[in-house]
Amino acid sequence: MDQLISELRAQVRGDVRFDPVSRALYATDASIYQIEPLGVVLPRDEQDVAAVLRLARRHSVAVLPRGGATSLAGQTVGRAIQLDFTRYMHRLLEVNAAEGWAWVEPGLVLDELNALLAPYDLKFAPDVSPGNRATIGGMIGNNSSGMYSLVYGKTIDHVLELKVMLADGSVTTLGPLDEDGLRAKLVLDSLEGRAYRTVRRLGRELAGEIEQRFPKVLRRVGGYNLDAFVLASPENQEPRTENHLNRSGSQFSVLGSKGQQQFNLSNLIVGSEGTLAVILAAKIRLVPRPKHTAIDVVHFDALDDALDAVLPCLACGPAAVELMDDILLDLTRDSREYARHLASFLQGRPRAVLQVEFFGETQAEVIARLDQLERHLREHTRAVAFTRALTASEKSPILQVRKASMPLLQSMSPDRKPETFVEDSAVAPEKLGDYIRQFRAIVHAHDVQVSFYGHASVGLMHARPLINLKDPADIAKMRSIAEQIKDLSIEFGGALSGEHGDGLARSEFNRELFGEKLYEAFREVKRTFDPHGVLNSGKIVDAPPMDANLRYGADYRVTLPLETHFRFRDSGGIAGAAELCNGNGLCRKTASGTMCPSYMVTRDEQHSTRGRANALRMVLSGALAPAELASERMREVMDLCIECKGCTAECPSRVNMTRLKAEWLSHYHAANGVPLRSRLFGHIRLVNQIGSALAPLSNWALGLPGLSPLNERLLGISRQRRLPYFAREPFDRWFWRRESGVGSWGLADPLLTPNPQLPTPTVVLFPDTFTNYNDPGIGRAAVRVLEAAGYEVLLPRRPICCGRPMISKGLLAEAKALAHQQMEWLAPYAQAGLPIVGLEPSCILTFRDEYPDLLDDPRNPDVGRGAEALARQSFLIDEFLVREAGGLRLGPWKSSLRVNDQQSSGPQASSPQPQVSFLLHGHCHQKALVGTAHALALLRMIPGVEAREVDSGCCGMAGSFGYEAEHYAISQAIGERALFPAVRALAPESQVVAMGTSCRQQIADGTGRRARHLVEVLADALA
């Protein structure tokens, strides 16, 4: 193995990783399986792929091509060298809009591709749920389809040509061939020629068997696509008929240029799961985007009622009919991010819904289709309510909830989860109701619950039995259920693999599903294309048992129990918190949202939430040596987690990597010591307090030549950063010296010194470190705004740090002690029912997010109750003001550039128009725990302004992260992804609003623009 690694590193330009942690990161995908790979290569180009295959043959090891690893059947795990195409080979190579095609590399993500195609008003049609991280190569490998297969079919219907590398290293392009072209291929004395001869012969010899044994359903992707070659001989002039496409009135053709089906060997590579060839590039068909779409969410009181309504829905000609059952709906209600989406369209508490979507040339047309649907369903079904969605803002939450179905289901914890082993069968839609009822009876007979969701329009319901795969009895139940569902699928003439493929979950059953002759034909295809078993062996044919190689099996144990500072009470401990990650890979999205900022710019698996959670789980369960917990390699994996909390909102499986990172860091420090820089940043309140006491001398010192290089050399603080200046008069001192009357309650704690004249209503303003010592003007503005809203403002009698800086640096013992102190000062206010309002999102939200788990102690329930009270009464100022906005009066914005100051005259000069626009950048913790809707609402209360939010994700500063020299470059890259370009594009008179201290500093450093806190803007607009 050492020789192989050495040769790979010498011949591959991309990344070559064979260390234990890297192998652990790639041991799983989104399935229930786990197999440690031999190593991982991230190829830069075709030459790298060729080198890997060449060396793999020489050393007799396997190669496994991998995209986003969102596979639910285990296609992308195996004892092989894994080829991860997503970091480098993800380009759009060529677009021909006139002819409707494009060439793409395999690592390109579907949603990224469609964003690049948007200017042409074209798209790649298959629309899979994980479209924001699923790659085109992976979709080809699985023959994916998604919600709109009624209209668009499957991936096979959109792949025109494939550039592939065969198992012997030869490169060829597979595409449609006429008679002469096929003859030329058949006489080749090469692996390619043998492949053509074998496939053509099998298509002819087994035509009858294929007709008899291949399921007659649209959604069949199991086995090899020999059915695509039954009519593919040049002598046969009959065109191939795709009945399902003709019935659906699709916009594309699968026929050759002469009106006949041509021999196209790429049809065999589609759906072959990387077992026959490695895809280097694909020529794909592009289709026009629908001009208008509309969705109707149809509510039912029972799952059976929804199933019985599928055919009546199909009678109305929809583009899609999707089902969600009560288990999925209930889990969605429990998700921070998705509950608000659900609330926007769900009426009451239905036990199942159908999402029925229509395409049309005009909005009037799709509205008419909705009218027809509702009339028809009221007459022929037991529908109880309808919710229409016509605009993008109305449709988006529906589609987001539906696409998050799988990972939402996986969020159940700690052990019994809806597992993916019989989730992919498909039958004819007219048989769906009876099939699901029998399916449900089989599962219930094992005393197991089951959840259903999916593509009802094409008879494909994703079924998730709730199984504990750590329990040997449940593993036996899984095996029994899988075998009975296989038999049921055969009985109903259905397919066991409807869109997720065979992989490790279903390949074992292909002999029974397709019969002996076809199975042996599949094996012959595999031997012909891959005579030495180099390519992803053990999938489709010659597979291990479906209950082998489980991620969690009967022998799974937590072998490294850790005594933790956090309780991780919602997941049963730190191991359970890591195990929440099911591998769905939503953290690998790059185009929107916050999770995961570092992955968005590195595209490296180790920098995803999934990668970090896997690494922790593997060391806690013994798959990695205990020493790896505090190793340098584990530090590399965890280092770029910037603790943005994006995962707490956006990960539907509820992985809280921010908390896991802090806990891990505390154990890393225990083994390796705490760096001085971490201590300084962790105790930033003390640093700022001293700096403020010494101002202006301290500020003069910050500007001394040579200080920045010295800070970088001694402390690792980037010389390219300007450290914040200190305020000569801290905010709390200003507050307490004000004239008597206004704010004087801060001098003597009214809760500890009873005063019958305590004014009401009253609010406690928490003076965070940065407001207090760096930006006291923000605190003064907050007092003005709160008093204008009719509140008397108090400050805690002895303000201390919230503890967030210590938590972020893993100083959890100190943070816990400080939290106990904080409770002494703040809990009485909370228990008295006073709201505690904060200006810095990361500070005030620490009381809500970390304190209840950090201070949870069964031995001292009073502390826990106090922490819960503090969490309930803590508010970010924007959410508090929206709740109390009735007392806030805002006048026109006092812009420095007034419209009527411009050199123009007449009615146009004085016509009403916005004098300024506001661009809001939300703080990561704010977006994760509160949302930015409150801040936007307040900005929009100011007369005569426009306010919008930029989908900027994380700014990249993330507290002290961006100040650290080794993180400066990636911090700037995160800012450049979306935030900096949006700020630079603003007009000079526009205002940037950001509530986070680090966000404002990052914007200033990256763009030269000053961002203002929300309360500063509101204070300027007070009437």
mmCIF file of all heavy atoms in Angstrom, residues 833-864:
data_model
loop_
_atom_site.group_PDB
_atom_site.id
_atom_site.type_symbol
_atom_site.label_atom_id
_atom_site.label_comp_id
_atom_site.label_asym_id
_atom_site.label_seq_id
_atom_site.Cartn_x
_atom_site.Cartn_y
_atom_site.Cartn_z
ATOM 1 N N GLY A 833 -40.036 38.325 35.222
ATOM 2 C CA GLY A 833 -40.806 38.545 34.003
ATOM 3 C C GLY A 833 -40.337 39.705 33.155
ATOM 4 O O GLY A 833 -41.023 40.089 32.203
ATOM 5 N N LEU A 834 -39.177 40.286 33.498
ATOM 6 C CA LEU A 834 -38.673 41.403 32.698
ATOM 7 C C LEU A 834 -37.966 40.882 31.448
ATOM 8 O O LEU A 834 -37.186 39.932 31.526
ATOM 9 C CB LEU A 834 -37.691 42.249 33.510
ATOM 10 C CG LEU A 834 -38.266 43.069 34.657
ATOM 11 C CD1 LEU A 834 -37.161 43.881 35.315
ATOM 12 C CD2 LEU A 834 -39.377 43.980 34.168
ATOM 13 N N PRO A 835 -38.211 41.516 30.314
ATOM 14 C CA PRO A 835 -37.473 41.123 29.112
ATOM 15 C C PRO A 835 -36.027 41.591 29.196
ATOM 16 O O PRO A 835 -35.744 42.704 29.650
ATOM 17 C CB PRO A 835 -38.221 41.831 27.979
ATOM 18 C CG PRO A 835 -38.929 42.964 28.628
ATOM 19 C CD PRO A 835 -39.214 42.562 30.040
ATOM 20 N N ILE A 836 -35.110 40.730 28.748
ATOM 21 C CA ILE A 836 -33.683 41.056 28.714
ATOM 22 C C ILE A 836 -33.302 41.147 27.244
ATOM 23 O O ILE A 836 -33.382 40.171 26.501
ATOM 24 C CB ILE A 836 -32.847 39.994 29.441
ATOM 25 C CG1 ILE A 836 -33.300 39.908 30.909
ATOM 26 C CG2 ILE A 836 -31.366 40.299 29.341
ATOM 27 C CD1 ILE A 836 -32.797 38.683 31.619
ATOM 28 N N VAL A 837 -32.919 42.334 26.819
ATOM 29 C CA VAL A 837 -32.742 42.618 25.400
ATOM 30 C C VAL A 837 -31.265 42.807 25.100
ATOM 31 O O VAL A 837 -30.541 43.457 25.867
ATOM 32 C CB VAL A 837 -33.538 43.886 25.003
ATOM 33 C CG1 VAL A 837 -33.225 44.300 23.584
ATOM 34 C CG2 VAL A 837 -35.032 43.632 25.169
ATOM 35 N N GLY A 838 -30.821 42.237 23.992
ATOM 36 C CA GLY A 838 -29.422 42.341 23.604
ATOM 37 C C GLY A 838 -29.260 42.933 22.225
ATOM 38 O O GLY A 838 -30.174 42.891 21.388
ATOM 39 N N LEU A 839 -28.070 43.473 21.975
ATOM 40 C CA LEU A 839 -27.757 44.135 20.714
ATOM 41 C C LEU A 839 -26.831 43.298 19.838
ATOM 42 O O LEU A 839 -26.869 43.411 18.618
ATOM 43 C CB LEU A 839 -27.079 45.481 20.998
ATOM 44 C CG LEU A 839 -27.899 46.447 21.854
ATOM 45 C CD1 LEU A 839 -27.040 47.630 22.290
ATOM 46 C CD2 LEU A 839 -29.113 46.928 21.074
ATOM 47 N N GLU A 840 -25.995 42.488 20.448
ATOM 48 C CA GLU A 840 -25.060 41.633 19.713
ATOM 49 C C GLU A 840 -25.660 40.233 19.640
ATOM 50 O O GLU A 840 -25.816 39.560 20.662
ATOM 51 C CB GLU A 840 -23.711 41.592 20.435
ATOM 52 C CG GLU A 840 -22.689 40.678 19.810
ATOM 53 C CD GLU A 840 -22.279 41.094 18.410
ATOM 54 O OE1 GLU A 840 -22.286 42.322 18.119
ATOM 55 O OE2 GLU A 840 -21.948 40.222 17.598
ATOM 56 N N PRO A 841 -26.019 39.755 18.433
ATOM 57 C CA PRO A 841 -26.741 38.476 18.338
ATOM 58 C C PRO A 841 -26.035 37.317 19.019
ATOM 59 O O PRO A 841 -26.672 36.548 19.755
ATOM 60 C CB PRO A 841 -26.856 38.260 16.823
ATOM 61 C CG PRO A 841 -26.839 39.641 16.238
ATOM 62 C CD PRO A 841 -25.902 40.428 17.116
ATOM 63 N N SER A 842 -24.736 37.175 18.819
ATOM 64 C CA SER A 842 -24.061 36.007 19.389
ATOM 65 C C SER A 842 -24.068 36.031 20.906
ATOM 66 O O SER A 842 -24.026 34.977 21.540
ATOM 67 C CB SER A 842 -22.625 35.928 18.875
ATOM 68 O OG SER A 842 -21.894 37.079 19.249
ATOM 69 N N CYS A 843 -24.119 37.227 21.508
ATOM 70 C CA CYS A 843 -24.088 37.327 22.969
ATOM 71 C C CYS A 843 -25.444 36.986 23.583
ATOM 72 O O CYS A 843 -25.564 36.079 24.401
ATOM 73 C CB CYS A 843 -23.649 38.729 23.387
ATOM 74 S SG CYS A 843 -21.931 39.091 22.968
ATOM 75 N N ILE A 844 -26.474 37.722 23.189
ATOM 76 C CA ILE A 844 -27.776 37.515 23.825
ATOM 77 C C ILE A 844 -28.327 36.133 23.513
ATOM 78 O O ILE A 844 -28.994 35.512 24.350
ATOM 79 C CB ILE A 844 -28.769 38.623 23.397
ATOM 80 C CG1 ILE A 844 -30.015 38.608 24.292
ATOM 81 C CG2 ILE A 844 -29.159 38.493 21.940
ATOM 82 C CD1 ILE A 844 -29.765 39.053 25.710
ATOM 83 N N LEU A 845 -28.024 35.612 22.318
ATOM 84 C CA LEU A 845 -28.570 34.311 21.950
ATOM 85 C C LEU A 845 -27.820 33.162 22.620
ATOM 86 O O LEU A 845 -28.308 32.029 22.618
ATOM 87 C CB LEU A 845 -28.580 34.149 20.429
ATOM 88 C CG LEU A 845 -29.516 35.127 19.707
ATOM 89 C CD1 LEU A 845 -29.422 34.965 18.194
ATOM 90 C CD2 LEU A 845 -30.968 34.940 20.168
ATOM 91 N N THR A 846 -26.669 33.443 23.215
ATOM 92 C CA THR A 846 -26.002 32.429 24.030
ATOM 93 C C THR A 846 -26.878 32.043 25.213
ATOM 94 O O THR A 846 -26.919 30.881 25.626
ATOM 95 C CB THR A 846 -24.642 32.956 24.523
ATOM 96 O OG1 THR A 846 -23.814 33.193 23.389
ATOM 97 C CG2 THR A 846 -23.954 31.963 25.446
ATOM 98 N N PHE A 847 -27.586 33.033 25.769
ATOM 99 C CA PHE A 847 -28.489 32.732 26.885
ATOM 100 C C PHE A 847 -29.584 31.769 26.448
ATOM 101 O O PHE A 847 -30.058 30.948 27.242
ATOM 102 C CB PHE A 847 -29.129 34.018 27.418
ATOM 103 C CG PHE A 847 -28.151 35.051 27.909
ATOM 104 C CD1 PHE A 847 -28.487 36.391 27.909
ATOM 105 C CD2 PHE A 847 -26.895 34.687 28.372
ATOM 106 C CE1 PHE A 847 -27.599 37.359 28.363
ATOM 107 C CE2 PHE A 847 -25.987 35.636 28.820
ATOM 108 C CZ PHE A 847 -26.347 36.983 28.810
ATOM 109 N N ARG A 848 -30.009 31.870 25.205
ATOM 110 C CA ARG A 848 -31.104 31.026 24.716
ATOM 111 C C ARG A 848 -30.633 29.668 24.233
ATOM 112 O O ARG A 848 -31.332 28.670 24.392
ATOM 113 C CB ARG A 848 -31.815 31.746 23.575
ATOM 114 C CG ARG A 848 -32.724 32.791 24.141
ATOM 115 C CD ARG A 848 -33.662 33.495 23.294
ATOM 116 N NE ARG A 848 -34.101 33.083 22.022
ATOM 117 C CZ ARG A 848 -34.755 33.915 21.198
ATOM 118 N NH1 ARG A 848 -34.970 35.175 21.569
ATOM 119 N NH2 ARG A 848 -35.196 33.523 20.053
ATOM 120 N N ASP A 849 -29.448 29.628 23.633
ATOM 121 C CA ASP A 849 -29.032 28.401 22.967
ATOM 122 C C ASP A 849 -28.119 27.543 23.834
ATOM 123 O O ASP A 849 -28.375 26.360 24.023
ATOM 124 C CB ASP A 849 -28.329 28.755 21.649
ATOM 125 C CG ASP A 849 -28.160 27.545 20.749
ATOM 126 O OD1 ASP A 849 -29.007 26.644 20.803
ATOM 127 O OD2 ASP A 849 -27.185 27.510 19.984
ATOM 128 N N GLU A 850 -27.050 28.140 24.363
ATOM 129 C CA GLU A 850 -26.065 27.336 25.099
ATOM 130 C C GLU A 850 -26.378 27.170 26.576
ATOM 131 O O GLU A 850 -26.164 26.099 27.147
ATOM 132 C CB GLU A 850 -24.667 27.944 24.950
ATOM 133 C CG GLU A 850 -23.957 27.584 23.659
ATOM 134 C CD GLU A 850 -24.259 28.546 22.534
ATOM 135 O OE1 GLU A 850 -25.062 29.476 22.752
ATOM 136 O OE2 GLU A 850 -23.694 28.382 21.440
ATOM 137 N N TYR A 851 -26.853 28.227 27.234
ATOM 138 C CA TYR A 851 -27.006 28.162 28.688
ATOM 139 C C TYR A 851 -27.876 26.992 29.165
ATOM 140 O O TYR A 851 -27.494 26.301 30.114
ATOM 141 C CB TYR A 851 -27.562 29.488 29.222
ATOM 142 C CG TYR A 851 -26.509 30.519 29.564
ATOM 143 C CD1 TYR A 851 -25.315 30.592 28.846
ATOM 144 C CD2 TYR A 851 -26.699 31.441 30.587
ATOM 145 C CE1 TYR A 851 -24.361 31.548 29.139
ATOM 146 C CE2 TYR A 851 -25.749 32.403 30.895
ATOM 147 C CZ TYR A 851 -24.568 32.452 30.161
ATOM 148 O OH TYR A 851 -23.625 33.400 30.466
ATOM 149 N N PRO A 852 -29.050 26.764 28.578
ATOM 150 C CA PRO A 852 -29.871 25.671 29.108
ATOM 151 C C PRO A 852 -29.176 24.317 29.065
ATOM 152 O O PRO A 852 -29.372 23.481 29.959
ATOM 153 C CB PRO A 852 -31.108 25.694 28.194
ATOM 154 C CG PRO A 852 -31.199 27.107 27.728
ATOM 155 C CD PRO A 852 -29.774 27.537 27.544
ATOM 156 N N ASP A 853 -28.327 24.085 28.049
ATOM 157 C CA ASP A 853 -27.640 22.794 27.951
ATOM 158 C C ASP A 853 -26.362 22.796 28.786
ATOM 159 O O ASP A 853 -26.003 21.778 29.379
ATOM 160 C CB ASP A 853 -27.319 22.496 26.491
ATOM 161 C CG ASP A 853 -27.064 21.012 26.246
ATOM 162 O OD1 ASP A 853 -27.830 20.192 26.790
ATOM 163 O OD2 ASP A 853 -26.105 20.682 25.538
ATOM 164 N N LEU A 854 -25.688 23.933 28.860
ATOM 165 C CA LEU A 854 -24.448 24.013 29.626
ATOM 166 C C LEU A 854 -24.711 23.956 31.128
ATOM 167 O O LEU A 854 -23.921 23.390 31.883
ATOM 168 C CB LEU A 854 -23.723 25.313 29.266
ATOM 169 C CG LEU A 854 -22.299 25.502 29.794
ATOM 170 C CD1 LEU A 854 -21.364 24.443 29.215
ATOM 171 C CD2 LEU A 854 -21.797 26.898 29.456
ATOM 172 N N LEU A 855 -25.830 24.539 31.568
ATOM 173 C CA LEU A 855 -26.129 24.614 32.994
ATOM 174 C C LEU A 855 -27.106 23.542 33.462
ATOM 175 O O LEU A 855 -27.504 23.544 34.628
ATOM 176 C CB LEU A 855 -26.692 26.001 33.338
ATOM 177 C CG LEU A 855 -25.735 27.170 33.094
ATOM 178 C CD1 LEU A 855 -26.431 28.489 33.389
ATOM 179 C CD2 LEU A 855 -24.477 27.020 33.932
ATOM 180 N N ASP A 856 -27.504 22.671 32.551
ATOM 181 C CA ASP A 856 -28.440 21.609 32.921
ATOM 182 C C ASP A 856 -27.745 20.645 33.881
ATOM 183 O O ASP A 856 -26.754 19.995 33.516
ATOM 184 C CB ASP A 856 -28.899 20.880 31.659
ATOM 185 C CG ASP A 856 -29.938 19.813 31.977
ATOM 186 O OD1 ASP A 856 -30.632 19.933 32.989
ATOM 187 O OD2 ASP A 856 -30.041 18.844 31.197
ATOM 188 N N ASP A 857 -28.228 20.554 35.086
ATOM 189 C CA ASP A 857 -27.593 19.716 36.114
ATOM 190 C C ASP A 857 -28.688 19.058 36.951
ATOM 191 O O ASP A 857 -29.361 19.734 37.736
ATOM 192 C CB ASP A 857 -26.687 20.569 37.001
ATOM 193 C CG ASP A 857 -25.884 19.726 37.992
ATOM 194 O OD1 ASP A 857 -26.161 18.514 38.114
ATOM 195 O OD2 ASP A 857 -24.986 20.289 38.638
ATOM 196 N N PRO A 858 -28.893 17.757 36.781
ATOM 197 C CA PRO A 858 -29.948 17.074 37.545
ATOM 198 C C PRO A 858 -29.767 17.217 39.048
ATOM 199 O O PRO A 858 -30.735 17.117 39.805
ATOM 200 C CB PRO A 858 -29.806 15.610 37.099
ATOM 201 C CG PRO A 858 -29.065 15.655 35.810
ATOM 202 C CD PRO A 858 -28.165 16.854 35.886
ATOM 203 N N ARG A 859 -28.535 17.468 39.487
ATOM 204 C CA ARG A 859 -28.292 17.596 40.928
ATOM 205 C C ARG A 859 -28.722 18.953 41.467
ATOM 206 O O ARG A 859 -28.842 19.134 42.676
ATOM 207 C CB ARG A 859 -26.796 17.378 41.217
ATOM 208 C CG ARG A 859 -26.288 15.987 40.843
ATOM 209 C CD ARG A 859 -24.777 15.954 40.829
ATOM 210 N NE ARG A 859 -24.226 16.900 39.858
ATOM 211 C CZ ARG A 859 -22.927 17.101 39.645
ATOM 212 N NH1 ARG A 859 -22.049 16.417 40.339
ATOM 213 N NH2 ARG A 859 -22.517 17.980 38.760
ATOM 214 N N ASN A 860 -28.909 19.907 40.596
ATOM 215 C CA ASN A 860 -29.292 21.257 41.024
ATOM 216 C C ASN A 860 -30.360 21.795 40.085
ATOM 217 O O ASN A 860 -30.081 22.632 39.225
ATOM 218 C CB ASN A 860 -28.068 22.171 41.037
ATOM 219 C CG ASN A 860 -28.342 23.481 41.751
ATOM 220 O OD1 ASN A 860 -29.492 23.806 42.057
ATOM 221 N ND2 ASN A 860 -27.296 24.247 42.015
ATOM 222 N N PRO A 861 -31.586 21.318 40.209
ATOM 223 C CA PRO A 861 -32.640 21.712 39.270
ATOM 224 C C PRO A 861 -32.951 23.205 39.289
ATOM 225 O O PRO A 861 -33.448 23.743 38.306
ATOM 226 C CB PRO A 861 -33.844 20.888 39.717
ATOM 227 C CG PRO A 861 -33.541 20.463 41.124
ATOM 228 C CD PRO A 861 -32.055 20.358 41.215
ATOM 229 N N ASP A 862 -32.643 23.906 40.406
ATOM 230 C CA ASP A 862 -32.911 25.344 40.448
ATOM 231 C C ASP A 862 -32.104 26.095 39.398
ATOM 232 O O ASP A 862 -32.589 27.050 38.788
ATOM 233 C CB ASP A 862 -32.585 25.903 41.843
ATOM 234 C CG ASP A 862 -33.592 25.452 42.892
ATOM 235 O OD1 ASP A 862 -34.706 25.030 42.487
ATOM 236 O OD2 ASP A 862 -33.277 25.512 44.093
ATOM 237 N N VAL A 863 -30.871 25.657 39.195
ATOM 238 C CA VAL A 863 -30.037 26.296 38.177
ATOM 239 C C VAL A 863 -30.640 26.072 36.800
ATOM 240 O O VAL A 863 -30.708 26.990 35.977
ATOM 241 C CB VAL A 863 -28.593 25.760 38.237
ATOM 242 C CG1 VAL A 863 -27.767 26.300 37.070
ATOM 243 C CG2 VAL A 863 -27.944 26.120 39.561
ATOM 244 N N GLY A 864 -31.074 24.848 36.548
ATOM 245 C CA GLY A 864 -31.690 24.550 35.266
ATOM 246 C C GLY A 864 -32.933 25.378 35.026
ATOM 247 O O GLY A 864 -33.136 25.903 33.926
#
